[in-house]
Amino acid sequence: MKKKELFLLTLGIFMTAVAWLVADIYHASTIERIKPKINLPVVNKYDIDTEIFKILEQKNQ
C-alpha cells in the first residue's frame, strides 16, 4: 500500500472510533434514569372482638 492509502485507511478508522465514542457519550447522557419505586407492603388491621374470648372462657369452665 502507498503511504496515502494507509493514511486514509487509518484516518477512516480513527474517525469511526471518535464518532462511536461521541455517540455513546451522548446516548449515556440523554437516557432516562431508572428510579426504582418501592411500594410499601399493605398492613391489614384487624379488630378483635373481646366478647368472643369471654364466651369461650365461660364454656371451658
Side-chain angles (χ1 to χ4, degrees):
M1 280 209 242
K2 296 181 183 178
K3 287 184 181 182
K4 187 176 181 181
E5 291 174 348
L6 185 60
F7 173 72
L8 290 176
L9 182 63
T10 306
L11 184 64
I13 292 171
F14 177 74
M15 293 303 289
T16 302
V18 168
W20 192 341
L21 181 66
V22 168
D24 195 32
I25 290 172
Y26 175 75
H27 176 70
S29 66
T30 59
I31 60 171
E32 185 177 330
R33 303 287 188 249
I34 298 173
K35 296 179 182 177
K37 184 178 179 183
I38 299 173
N39 295 330
L40 296 176
V42 177
V43 178
N44 295 330
K45 185 174 181 179
Y46 298 102
D47 293 328
I48 299 174
D49 187 14
T50 57
E51 290 297 318
I52 294 175
F53 293 127
K54 291 178 184 175
I55 294 170
L56 287 173
E57 186 177 312
Q58 288 175 359
K59 287 185 177 184
N60 281 336
Q61 289 178 5

